[in-house]
């Protein structure tokens, strides 16, 4: 059984920084790709950042230059470093990974979300 546990959200002032973590526990063999999405109240879920195990990353235009997606393969943990935060970054942030387990099949796993609020 694989679970994703997100942490690092909270209240931060505009211009501040936060680092979100997404720790995967269970029988994971390797993470093939990782994604952070977010959903603000009254809005659809949108992709924030994604990355593959070959090092290719992709960011929403609204966060380019401010957010960085990364991973620690040894810890099966994915990160989202967020800086120069704006009130419009306020949302629930969700991580998603595609990983192989002992059956050597690809599976998609999603976290429960962590709230990020940017406000003075």
């Amino acid at each position: 059984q694989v679970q994703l546990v997100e942490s690092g959200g909270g209240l931060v002032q505009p211009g501040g920084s936060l680092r979100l973590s997404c720790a995967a526990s269970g029988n994971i063999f390797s993470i093939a790709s990782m994604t952070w999405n977010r959903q603000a109240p009254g809005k659809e879920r949108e992709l924030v950042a994604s990355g593959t195990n070959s090092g290719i990353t992709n960011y929403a235009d609204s966060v380019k230059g401010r957010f960085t997606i990364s991973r620690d393969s040894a810890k099966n943990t994915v990160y989202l470093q967020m800086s120069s935060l704006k009130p419009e970054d306020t949302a629930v942030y969700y991580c998603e990974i595609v990983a192989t387990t002992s059956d050597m099949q690809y599976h998609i796993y999603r976290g429960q979300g962590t709230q990020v609020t940017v406000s003075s």
Side-chain angles (χ1 to χ4, degrees):
Q1 189 79 356
V2 174
Q3 290 186 325
L4 301 186
V5 178
E6 295 143 333
S7 60
L11 174 64
V12 63
Q13 292 187 342
S17 299
L18 284 175
R19 189 179 77 158
L20 305 184
S21 299
C22 176
S25 62
N27 192 19
I28 288 182
F29 182 72
S30 69
I31 296 175
S33 67
M34 52 193 180
T35 302
W36 285 95
N37 300 302
R38 68 185 180 188
Q39 187 166 19
K43 295 187 177 181
E44 294 187 353
R45 190 171 296 193
E46 63 174 349
L47 182 143
V48 176
S50 62
T52 69
N53 59 3
S54 60
I56 298 173
T57 57
N58 182 51
Y59 296 92
D61 288 342
S62 59
V63 307
K64 281 181 181 177
R66 300 189 298 122
F67 291 11
T68 302
I69 190 170
S70 63
R71 62 192 286 183
D72 184 332
S73 297
K75 297 181 179 179
N76 283 332
T77 299
V78 176
Y79 303 98
L80 184 68
Q81 178 68 48
M82 307 185 294
S83 60
S84 302
L85 284 161
K86 305 175 181 179
E88 50 264 43
D89 294 319
T90 296
V92 178
Y93 285 71
Y94 300 89
C95 71
E96 178 180 294
I97 65 170
V98 176
T100 54
T101 58
S102 57
D103 63 0
M104 301 309 291
Q105 299 296 312
Y106 288 102
H107 302 275
I108 300 174
Y109 300 100
R110 298 181 176 92
Q112 294 300 306
T114 185
Q115 176 71 47
V116 171
T117 302
V118 184
S119 175
S120 55

